[in-house]
Amino acid sequence: MDADIIVIGAGLAGLQCARRAERHGHSVIVLEAGDAVGGRVQTDRIDGFLCDKGFQLLNPAYPSVRKWIDTSSLELQKFGFGVVVRDGEATSTLAHPVLHPAYALETLRSKQTQPRDLLAMARWLGPSLLRPSRVYGSARDTTLSTSFDAAGLAGRLRSDVLDTFLAGVLADSSGEVSADYARLLMRFFVLSAPGLPRAGMQALPQQMADSLSAPVRFGVAGRDLQETSDGVRVTTDSGTLSASSVVVAVGSENVADLTPLTVPVTRGLTTWWFRAPELPRRGPFLMLDASRPGGGPAGPIWHTAVVSEAAPSYAPTGHHLIEATTLLDQPDGLATEGDIRRDLERLYSTSTKDWDVLAHHVVQHALPLQPPPLRDRHPLWTGPRVLVTGDHRGTGSIDGALLAGDRAGEAVSERLAS
Ligand SMILES: Cc1cc2nc3c(=O)[nH]c(=O)nc-3n(C[C@H](O)[C@H](O)[C@H](O)COP(=O)(O)OP(=O)(O)OC[C@H]3O[C@@H](n4cnc5c(N)ncnc54)[C@H](O)[C@@H]3O)c2cc1C
């Protein structure tokens, strides 16, 4: 045997699984088809800018992050506690009045913070703030839209802010996702503003990989698994490896390559990264577009931000980094650069003539679809010695992937000990 356990895939789930199994005293080999750790959490360094491969944020309030990640060494640069809403020609900043007192009056006077809407929001979110554990497995889970209707959330807070913000977070604009899942995610945004590590999002998986006893083996794709009487043989392009157990942590789109499972339904996102010589807008906030009659974005961009305003390390001094996110469940999800520039010019009321595209990341399988009822899915044994994990076996988030990986590490260690 080459090791007690072979973990296939060095995304967050695979890395956390390997860390947990090592802590139980097992020898672990991690195989990664790509040339870096992190899977969907990676960072391109382009001309001194940090462009994550799909804009995303790390929330330090995630329970798994609090337990297993050294966030202080990541030096998180936090986004503001609020959002900017673009409504036609008008732009308003809605922000936590105590944390951002400069915006308190604007926030309280805005069309999106009518007392009726705020009360409905409290009805919608309150239970998950007070008793989050009761949310999982609740028989009452419905779609997001139905839950908003039930809470009486019908005003502009919903149409201009929540629908658009959550569509961007969940990569789904249908309103058909699990309301309980949306509540759990919103709870984390209430508990803490999310941020970006000084060295880019990839610093998160890198920290995890650095704590393993053996280095991850890059450029080694698992091609086939064969269970034997005492273990599993993994065929790779460069030979065969064997272990007592194998954990498949390859992400939704590759799960069917190595197991009898079908590919889980997923949703996609794209991120455009631009550099600008002049600052188009001050402030560490995400901008949501509510310019379509009835709410929602009038163009392909669901949210945009001057990322370097929140995370100065993402751009060289004197330069500015802008992200713009589109949703692949929309017909204009793959809009052209010209369409994106026109939309950015409308949103920031400025020309983008001097802006350069640094990268355009298209992530077809960004997140597993999370329909109601929310199920806290567990790692799945597809054979006596083969276990499947990843965010599609938990919830579609950094927290979901870490939790799923940790459970897999526990489960595989327990079986080896029995
Ligand atoms: C654009 C985008 C935005 C997001 N925004 C957020 C956010 O703001 N907050 C949040 O909490 N979450 C966010 N997420 C979700 C989060 O990043 C994922 O849920 C999480 O990273 C999934 O980790 P994973 O380990 O399950 O899978 P993956 O990261 O997909 O890892 C799978 C790994 O397996 C490797 N692999 C595949 N096949 C093989 C093979 N045959 N052999 C060897 N290796 C193989 C892959 O190369 C990859 O490295 C976002 C995701 C994307 C893409």
Side-chain angles (χ1 to χ4, degrees):
M1 294 279 168
D2 295 289
D4 295 333
I5 301 162
I6 294 175
V7 176
I8 306 180
L12 299 182
L15 291 170
Q16 183 58 28
C17 171
R19 293 200 322 167
R20 178 59 60 210
E22 277 196 351
R23 275 183 206 159
H24 281 288
H26 300 299
S27 59
V28 183
I29 293 174
V30 182
L31 306 181
E32 169 53 49
D35 57 6
V37 291
R40 274 167 276 165
V41 183
Q42 296 199 22
T43 306
D44 277 343
R45 195 175 274 276
I46 306 168
D47 293 346
F49 291 84
L50 298 176
C51 303
D52 294 325
K53 286 187 170 171
F55 173 72
Q56 55 185 302
L57 292 167
L58 176 60
N59 197 319
Y62 282 151
S64 57
V65 171
R66 286 169 51 185
K67 272 191 270 181
W68 304 317
I69 303 299
D70 173 9
T71 42
S72 64
S73 73
L74 293 178
E75 298 179 72
L76 273 193
Q77 305 162 97
K78 288 204 176 174
F79 269 64
F81 218 114
V83 289
V84 171
V85 178
R86 179 81 189 186
D87 178 12
E89 292 300 302
T91 304
S92 45
T93 303
L94 314 183
H96 192 296
V98 177
L99 297 176
H100 303 284
Y103 299 104
L105 216 55
E106 193 177 334
T107 302
L108 295 173
R109 284 185 180 157
S110 98
K111 294 177 205 157
Q112 289 86 11
T113 55
Q114 297 300 303
R116 194 159 28 135
D117 275 5
L118 293 176
L119 258 175
M121 170 80 175
R123 266 196 302 276
W124 182 76
L125 191 58
S128 64
L129 283 179
L130 299 173
R131 289 219 211 138
S133 57
R134 293 281 299 272
V135 174
Y136 268 121
S138 137
R140 293 187 305 275
D141 192 13
T142 58
T143 65
L144 183 57
S145 304
T146 309
S147 75
F148 280 160
D149 291 343
L153 246 171
R156 298 195 62 164
L157 178 62
R158 171 178 173 179
S159 61
D160 293 358
V161 181
L162 291 172
D163 279 340
T164 311
F165 177 72
L166 284 169
V169 170
L170 300 160
D172 187 293
S173 58
S174 68
E176 298 293 306
V177 294
S178 155
D180 282 350
Y181 183 51
R183 282 192 188 96
L184 281 180
L185 284 178
M186 280 301 288
R187 175 173 182 273
F188 295 125
F189 285 109
V190 170
L191 294 180
S192 174
L196 294 170
R198 174 163 295 281
M201 281 297 287
Q202 196 159 351
L204 166 67
Q206 195 57 56
Q207 177 189 108
M208 298 170 71
D210 289 346
S211 71
L212 291 173
S213 8
V216 171
R217 300 190 187 184
F218 293 115
V220 185
R223 296 288 179 211
D224 187 46
L225 305 182
Q226 252 190 315
E227 286 197 57
T228 61
S229 53
D230 61 346
V232 187
R233 264 205 299 275
V234 180
T235 306
T236 74
D237 294 339
S238 47
T240 303
L241 293 164
S242 61
S244 299
S245 292
V246 164
V247 177
V248 178
V250 296
S252 300
E253 69 267 42
N254 295 116
V255 79
D257 303 347
L258 291 167
T259 74
L261 302 180
T262 49
V263 173
V265 182
T266 57
R267 291 286 180 263
L269 293 169
T270 94
T271 306
W272 288 84
W273 294 101
F274 286 87
R275 72 164 150 215
E278 305 290 337
L279 180 63
R281 189 180 168 84
R282 193 167 290 286
F285 298 104
L286 211 60
M287 186 196 288
L288 307 174
D289 185 20
S291 304
R292 194 169 58 199
I301 298 173
W302 281 69
H303 60 70
T304 175
V306 183
V307 173
S308 46
E309 280 288 277
S313 71
Y314 270 55
T317 311
H319 294 262
H320 310 284
L321 178 68
I322 292 109
E323 72 84 19
T325 293
T326 69
L327 301 192
L328 290 177
D329 75 349
Q330 288 286 310
D332 56 4
L334 287 174
T336 62
E337 182 185 329
D339 290 338
I340 295 294
R341 281 183 182 272
R342 267 188 293 284
D343 218 20
L344 285 168
E345 291 182 356
R346 178 178 64 80
L347 292 168
Y348 288 102
S349 305
T350 188
S351 163
T352 62
K353 188 167 56 67
D354 296 330
W355 295 20
D356 296 320
V357 177
L358 290 167
H360 178 212
H361 295 124
V362 179
V363 191
Q364 291 284 352
H365 302 279
L367 291 165
L369 184 66
Q370 206 81 57
L374 175 63
R375 289 227 175 80
D376 194 10
R377 291 163 291 196
H378 284 255
L380 189 70
W381 291 98
T382 57
R385 296 168 182 278
V386 178
L387 186 62
V388 180
T389 189
D391 62 349
H392 59 99
R393 295 303 317 160
T395 55
S397 68
I398 290 168
D399 189 51
L402 289 172
L403 210 61
D406 201 73
R407 283 185 179 147
E410 284 291 350
V412 75
S413 301
E414 198 176 300
R415 190 156 293 193
L416 280 179
S418 65

